[in-house]
Amino acid sequence: MNLITLKHRYDFGHDWYIQLLHTKRWALFQGSVSWNDYAAWPYIQIKSGNGSVLNLMFWAYRFGLDVGIIERTWNWDYMEDINPSPEDCMPPWGHSDMEALSKVKE
């Protein structure tokens, strides 16, 4: 169990995260504050169930606030899981099919 984890991430704006008393799967408290590049209409969302006891999300213009109590931990590494590096996308023979096709046409 970890006492506290802090994280900053930039993805169309700045996001600052905090997790208190958390394991790999569950956190007693999670929160985030965001300042995004794009504005949106204000809204508030209150959720209970499906992975959290209580979650409150507030958004106004570019500012966002998210607070969760006893919920599944956020996975900050998912971007690396779904966005592999270009080297990971190369086929075993070392070049893409488009490169090989362009050489055949020449």
Side-chain angles (χ1 to χ4, degrees):
M1 176 178 281
N2 296 328
L3 179 62
I4 187 169
T5 300
L6 300 169
K7 179 99 174 176
H8 172 262
R9 189 171 75 116
Y10 183 83
D11 183 23
F12 297 105
H14 293 276
D15 301 315
W16 294 272
Y17 302 97
I18 184 170
Q19 290 179 322
L20 298 174
L21 292 173
H22 66 93
T23 64
K24 185 176 180 180
R25 297 189 185 260
W26 291 94
L28 180 63
F29 172 85
Q30 297 186 120
S32 73
V33 175
S34 305
W35 184 259
N36 294 289
D37 295 339
Y38 301 100
W41 288 97
Y43 68 89
I44 189 167
Q45 175 182 324
I46 300 171
K47 179 180 87 165
S48 181
N50 195 20
S52 74
V53 171
L54 181 64
N55 181 282
L56 172 69
M57 182 186 299
F58 172 75
W59 186 276
Y61 186 60
R62 293 183 175 189
F63 175 76
L65 179 66
D66 189 354
V67 175
I69 299 172
I70 307 177
E71 68 178 355
R72 301 282 266 167
T73 55
W74 296 327
N75 180 6
W76 292 314
D77 299 326
Y78 77 96
M79 291 296 285
E80 294 167 6
D81 296 340
I82 62 172
N83 289 329
S85 68
E87 292 80 26
D88 295 336
C89 297
M90 295 297 276
W93 53 87
H95 55 79
S96 70
D97 292 334
M98 294 307 291
E99 289 174 353
L101 287 174
S102 67
K103 290 178 182 177
V104 169
K105 290 182 181 178
E106 293 175 356

